[in-house]
PDB file of all heavy atoms in Angstrom:
ATOM      1  N   ILE A  77     -17.415  17.300  -0.875  1.00 83.00           N
ATOM      2  CA  ILE A  77     -18.593  16.518  -0.549  1.00 83.00           C
ATOM      3  C   ILE A  77     -19.849  17.369  -0.686  1.00 83.00           C
ATOM      4  O   ILE A  77     -20.820  16.961  -1.312  1.00 83.00           O
ATOM      5  CB  ILE A  77     -18.474  15.934   0.889  1.00 83.00           C
ATOM      6  CG1 ILE A  77     -17.419  14.870   0.965  1.00 83.00           C
ATOM      7  CG2 ILE A  77     -19.841  15.359   1.350  1.00 83.00           C
ATOM      8  CD1 ILE A  77     -17.049  14.400   2.359  1.00 83.00           C
ATOM      9  N   PHE A  78     -19.846  18.548  -0.086  1.00 82.00           N
ATOM     10  CA  PHE A  78     -21.043  19.368  -0.076  1.00 82.00           C
ATOM     11  C   PHE A  78     -21.361  19.937  -1.457  1.00 82.00           C
ATOM     12  O   PHE A  78     -22.509  20.219  -1.753  1.00 82.00           O
ATOM     13  CB  PHE A  78     -20.942  20.458   0.984  1.00 82.00           C
ATOM     14  CG  PHE A  78     -20.940  19.902   2.397  1.00 82.00           C
ATOM     15  CD1 PHE A  78     -19.849  20.166   3.234  1.00 82.00           C
ATOM     16  CD2 PHE A  78     -21.962  19.128   2.853  1.00 82.00           C
ATOM     17  CE1 PHE A  78     -19.835  19.620   4.524  1.00 82.00           C
ATOM     18  CE2 PHE A  78     -21.950  18.584   4.130  1.00 82.00           C
ATOM     19  CZ  PHE A  78     -20.882  18.851   4.962  1.00 82.00           C
ATOM     20  N   GLU A  79     -20.353  20.075  -2.327  1.00 84.00           N
ATOM     21  CA  GLU A  79     -20.619  20.551  -3.706  1.00 84.00           C
ATOM     22  C   GLU A  79     -21.167  19.421  -4.553  1.00 84.00           C
ATOM     23  O   GLU A  79     -21.593  19.670  -5.681  1.00 84.00           O
ATOM     24  CB  GLU A  79     -19.334  21.107  -4.312  1.00 84.00           C
ATOM     25  CG  GLU A  79     -18.961  22.459  -3.780  1.00 84.00           C
ATOM     26  CD  GLU A  79     -17.660  22.997  -4.360  1.00 84.00           C
ATOM     27  OE1 GLU A  79     -16.952  22.225  -5.092  1.00 84.00           O
ATOM     28  OE2 GLU A  79     -17.352  24.167  -4.097  1.00 84.00           O
ATOM     29  N   GLY A  80     -21.185  18.198  -4.013  1.00 74.00           N
ATOM     30  CA  GLY A  80     -21.733  17.081  -4.753  1.00 74.00           C
ATOM     31  C   GLY A  80     -23.238  17.152  -4.945  1.00 74.00           C
ATOM     32  O   GLY A  80     -23.815  16.367  -5.683  1.00 74.00           O
ATOM     33  N   GLY A  81     -23.887  18.105  -4.296  1.00 70.00           N
ATOM     34  CA  GLY A  81     -25.291  18.319  -4.460  1.00 70.00           C
ATOM     35  C   GLY A  81     -26.146  17.246  -3.788  1.00 70.00           C
ATOM     36  O   GLY A  81     -25.764  16.751  -2.740  1.00 70.00           O
ATOM     37  N   GLU A  82     -27.219  16.934  -4.420  1.00 74.00           N
ATOM     38  CA  GLU A  82     -28.203  16.020  -3.843  1.00 74.00           C
ATOM     39  C   GLU A  82     -27.933  14.557  -4.209  1.00 74.00           C
ATOM     40  O   GLU A  82     -28.854  13.753  -4.170  1.00 74.00           O
ATOM     41  CB  GLU A  82     -29.605  16.421  -4.282  1.00 74.00           C
ATOM     42  CG  GLU A  82     -30.032  17.800  -3.758  1.00 74.00           C
ATOM     43  CD  GLU A  82     -30.088  17.829  -2.228  1.00 74.00           C
ATOM     44  OE1 GLU A  82     -30.585  16.877  -1.625  1.00 74.00           O
ATOM     45  OE2 GLU A  82     -29.611  18.827  -1.659  1.00 74.00           O
ATOM     46  N   SER A  83     -26.726  14.241  -4.631  1.00 76.00           N
ATOM     47  CA  SER A  83     -26.412  12.874  -5.011  1.00 76.00           C
ATOM     48  C   SER A  83     -26.691  11.934  -3.839  1.00 76.00           C
ATOM     49  O   SER A  83     -26.384  12.211  -2.686  1.00 76.00           O
ATOM     50  CB  SER A  83     -24.920  12.780  -5.398  1.00 76.00           C
ATOM     51  OG  SER A  83     -24.564  11.408  -5.566  1.00 76.00           O
ATOM     52  N   LYS A  84     -27.285  10.819  -4.165  1.00 85.00           N
ATOM     53  CA  LYS A  84     -27.575   9.787  -3.153  1.00 85.00           C
ATOM     54  C   LYS A  84     -26.466   8.715  -3.104  1.00 85.00           C
ATOM     55  O   LYS A  84     -26.586   7.768  -2.366  1.00 85.00           O
ATOM     56  CB  LYS A  84     -28.920   9.113  -3.453  1.00 85.00           C
ATOM     57  CG  LYS A  84     -30.103  10.039  -3.335  1.00 85.00           C
ATOM     58  CD  LYS A  84     -30.307  10.456  -1.904  1.00 85.00           C
ATOM     59  CE  LYS A  84     -31.554  11.331  -1.785  1.00 85.00           C
ATOM     60  NZ  LYS A  84     -31.626  11.956  -0.498  1.00 85.00           N
ATOM     61  N   MET A  85     -25.423   8.916  -3.900  1.00 89.00           N
ATOM     62  CA  MET A  85     -24.355   7.932  -3.947  1.00 89.00           C
ATOM     63  C   MET A  85     -23.575   7.914  -2.645  1.00 89.00           C
ATOM     64  O   MET A  85     -23.332   8.959  -2.058  1.00 89.00           O
ATOM     65  CB  MET A  85     -23.399   8.208  -5.116  1.00 89.00           C
ATOM     66  CG  MET A  85     -22.434   7.053  -5.341  1.00 89.00           C
ATOM     67  SD  MET A  85     -21.430   7.244  -6.818  1.00 89.00           S
ATOM     68  CE  MET A  85     -20.201   8.376  -6.248  1.00 89.00           C
ATOM     69  N   TYR A  86     -23.212   6.743  -2.195  1.00 91.00           N
ATOM     70  CA  TYR A  86     -22.323   6.559  -1.024  1.00 91.00           C
ATOM     71  C   TYR A  86     -21.428   5.405  -1.349  1.00 91.00           C
ATOM     72  O   TYR A  86     -21.640   4.625  -2.264  1.00 91.00           O
ATOM     73  CB  TYR A  86     -23.119   6.332   0.262  1.00 91.00           C
ATOM     74  CG  TYR A  86     -23.887   5.034   0.275  1.00 91.00           C
ATOM     75  CD1 TYR A  86     -23.303   3.855   0.748  1.00 91.00           C
ATOM     76  CD2 TYR A  86     -25.187   4.979  -0.211  1.00 91.00           C
ATOM     77  CE1 TYR A  86     -23.994   2.668   0.745  1.00 91.00           C
ATOM     78  CE2 TYR A  86     -25.902   3.783  -0.195  1.00 91.00           C
ATOM     79  CZ  TYR A  86     -25.291   2.656   0.278  1.00 91.00           C
ATOM     80  OH  TYR A  86     -25.976   1.454   0.286  1.00 91.00           O
ATOM     81  N   TRP A  87     -20.341   5.299  -0.596  1.00 92.00           N
ATOM     82  CA  TRP A  87     -19.438   4.183  -0.792  1.00 92.00           C
ATOM     83  C   TRP A  87     -19.147   3.497   0.521  1.00 92.00           C
ATOM     84  O   TRP A  87     -19.296   4.063   1.586  1.00 92.00           O
ATOM     85  CB  TRP A  87     -18.159   4.601  -1.514  1.00 92.00           C
ATOM     86  CG  TRP A  87     -17.273   5.524  -0.713  1.00 92.00           C
ATOM     87  CD1 TRP A  87     -16.224   5.183   0.103  1.00 92.00           C
ATOM     88  CD2 TRP A  87     -17.358   6.951  -0.631  1.00 92.00           C
ATOM     89  NE1 TRP A  87     -15.678   6.297   0.684  1.00 92.00           N
ATOM     90  CE2 TRP A  87     -16.351   7.380   0.234  1.00 92.00           C
ATOM     91  CE3 TRP A  87     -18.195   7.897  -1.214  1.00 92.00           C
ATOM     92  CZ2 TRP A  87     -16.152   8.737   0.551  1.00 92.00           C
ATOM     93  CZ3 TRP A  87     -17.986   9.233  -0.898  1.00 92.00           C
ATOM     94  CH2 TRP A  87     -16.989   9.643  -0.026  1.00 92.00           C
ATOM     95  N   VAL A  88     -18.767   2.230   0.383  1.00 96.00           N
ATOM     96  CA  VAL A  88     -18.453   1.399   1.540  1.00 96.00           C
ATOM     97  C   VAL A  88     -17.099   0.778   1.321  1.00 96.00           C
ATOM     98  O   VAL A  88     -16.803   0.242   0.225  1.00 96.00           O
ATOM     99  CB  VAL A  88     -19.516   0.295   1.736  1.00 96.00           C
ATOM    100  CG1 VAL A  88     -19.134  -0.646   2.866  1.00 96.00           C
ATOM    101  CG2 VAL A  88     -20.899   0.899   1.987  1.00 96.00           C
ATOM    102  N   ARG A  89     -16.240   0.840   2.317  1.00 97.00           N
ATOM    103  CA  ARG A  89     -14.916   0.246   2.230  1.00 97.00           C
ATOM    104  C   ARG A  89     -14.927  -1.091   2.960  1.00 97.00           C
ATOM    105  O   ARG A  89     -15.505  -1.227   4.017  1.00 97.00           O
ATOM    106  CB  ARG A  89     -13.865   1.152   2.882  1.00 97.00           C
ATOM    107  CG  ARG A  89     -13.402   2.283   2.019  1.00 97.00           C
ATOM    108  CD  ARG A  89     -14.016   3.650   2.247  1.00 97.00           C
ATOM    109  NE  ARG A  89     -14.799   3.879   3.425  1.00 97.00           N
ATOM    110  CZ  ARG A  89     -14.566   4.864   4.261  1.00 97.00           C
ATOM    111  NH1 ARG A  89     -13.515   5.654   4.078  1.00 97.00           N
ATOM    112  NH2 ARG A  89     -15.352   5.084   5.264  1.00 97.00           N
TER     113      ARG A  89
END
Side-chain angles (χ1 to χ4, degrees):
I77 290 170
F78 293 121
E79 286 178 352
E82 296 298 317
S83 171
K84 296 292 184 191
M85 190 173 80
Y86 66 90
W87 66 94
V88 175
R89 280 99 12 126

